[in-house]
Amino acid sequence: MSTAIKLYARETPGFADRLAHTVALLRCAAADHPGRIVLASSLGAEDMVLTDLIAKERLGIAVATLQTGKLHAQTLALVQRAEAHYGLTIELHHPRTEAVVHFVQRHGDDAMYRSVELRKACCAMRKVEPLERLLAGRTAWVTGLRREQSGARAAVPFIEADEHARSKISPLADWSWHDVWHYIGSRHVPYNPLHDEFMPSIGCAPCTRAIAVGEDFRSGRWWWENEDAKECGLHVQAHSVSTIGRSQSQHSEGASA
Ligand code: SF4
């Protein structure tokens, strides 16, 4: 059994209800936004759960990810493994070449370590702008956000409106880390092998490290920065919040997409 599954997979009370609610939410969203809904996948554990559900339930939800140009080889390989496993195509959205060349010429390849401003500029160029293109023409998007991932995500609703009035749907909002790995382990879902090397939250290679026992799961991301600065801009724009269908429950422990 893999390290991550052995460490984290656990069936906890209420899992079947949470899974049923997730499936209902995804079905509803696919029906409400035919041909205009996408899973914005980080290829993290949560997003592999959602990819599995979308494929197995044959939901009309596209799957897309950001190829920042800084991903680990294992993450890139996961794209091909998932495509072969599910028989689907994962859209890859790249940063603009001229923007990358200009930024690297001006600030160097390791600019993210020099200041929060430069790190955020790198994220804006490699992630935020490509995400806008990924979402263009779409009326809804699905994310793997969960409330226990961080304090900043503690109130993530199942559905909210983003700044462009698109529906942003987080069907795993009330899932625990144990739930995620119980699903992955029991359904043989393909996942990033870096999770077996104590990287619960995986982003770009220069900005992700393994964590030690007792460290917060998100501490392996941008570890040189203060906790308050640790978002890349992909999930900080939403403002109008609503919930549907179910009271928000909470759990402890967590990792990140
Ligand atoms: S996570 Fe790091 S490498 Fe990736 S876009 Fe942000 S700063 Fe750049």
Side-chain angles (χ1 to χ4, degrees):
M1 187 187 292
S2 83
T3 307
I5 290 171
K6 196 158 44 182
L7 274 177
Y8 308 127
R10 210 163 305 155
E11 183 164 9
T12 53
F15 174 76
D17 288 343
R18 289 189 289 282
L19 175 58
H21 178 252
T22 294
V23 172
L25 258 181
L26 287 169
R27 281 186 187 145
C28 208
D32 286 348
H33 302 274
R36 307 191 72 177
I37 179 169
V38 63
L39 166 64
S41 172
S42 69
L43 302 166
E46 292 87 348
D47 291 317
M48 298 316 297
V49 169
L50 291 168
T51 301
D52 189 83
L53 285 168
I54 287 167
K56 297 229 171 100
E57 295 284 325
R58 299 180 186 277
L59 301 174
I61 299 176
V63 180
T65 195
L66 304 175
Q67 207 311 27
T68 65
K70 290 288 187 184
L71 300 179
H72 298 85
Q74 294 91 330
T75 307
L76 290 173
L78 180 59
V79 172
Q80 294 178 336
R81 281 171 51 216
E83 287 184 330
H85 187 82
Y86 296 114
L88 54 75
T89 299
I90 298 177
E91 297 174 19
L92 297 181
H93 292 265
H94 302 256
R96 295 195 190 284
T97 305
E98 61 276 19
V100 173
V101 170
H102 180 72
F103 183 87
V104 172
Q105 278 179 345
R106 185 152 181 228
H107 301 294
D109 214 26
D110 59 354
M112 69 285 287
Y113 301 125
R114 294 211 306 278
S115 72
V116 172
E117 289 70 31
L118 282 173
R119 196 275 290 167
K120 289 191 172 174
C122 185
C123 284
M125 171 188 65
R126 293 183 187 273
K127 292 178 160 182
V128 178
E129 189 278 330
L131 179 69
E132 287 170 11
R133 278 184 279 120
L134 183 159
L135 296 177
R138 273 146 175 165
T139 54
W141 53 309
V142 178
T143 84
L145 295 181
R146 293 181 305 109
R147 293 176 193 140
E148 67 172 17
Q149 283 170 334
S150 69
R153 298 178 180 182
V156 165
F158 291 115
I159 300 183
E160 61 190 314
D162 72 10
E163 62 174 1
H164 299 290
R166 279 181 295 249
S167 295
K168 181 177 176 181
I169 301 149
S170 301
L172 305 183
D174 64 345
W175 282 42
S176 69
W177 190 230
H178 295 317
D179 290 339
V180 171
W181 283 96
H182 173 63
Y183 186 96
I184 288 173
S186 58
R187 274 108 176 141
H188 308 291
V189 174
Y191 68 88
N192 194 325
L194 292 173
H195 287 306
D196 290 326
E197 297 178 25
F198 304 99
M199 291 188 193
S201 175
I202 302 168
C204 294
C207 302
T208 304
R209 66 158 171 78
I211 63 168
V213 175
E215 276 191 305
D216 182 86
F217 279 11
R218 196 147 171 89
S219 61
R221 300 289 294 280
W222 306 299
W223 62 94
W224 62 92
E225 292 184 356
N226 286 335
E227 208 51 44
D228 293 349
K230 286 190 179 183
E231 285 289 350
C232 58
L234 300 185
H235 297 295
V236 296
Q237 299 152 326
H239 57 284
S240 173
V241 175
S242 64
T243 58
I244 65 160
R246 191 168 188 244
S247 63
Q248 298 180 30
S249 58
Q250 59 282 324
H251 307 274
S252 58
E253 298 180 25
S256 163

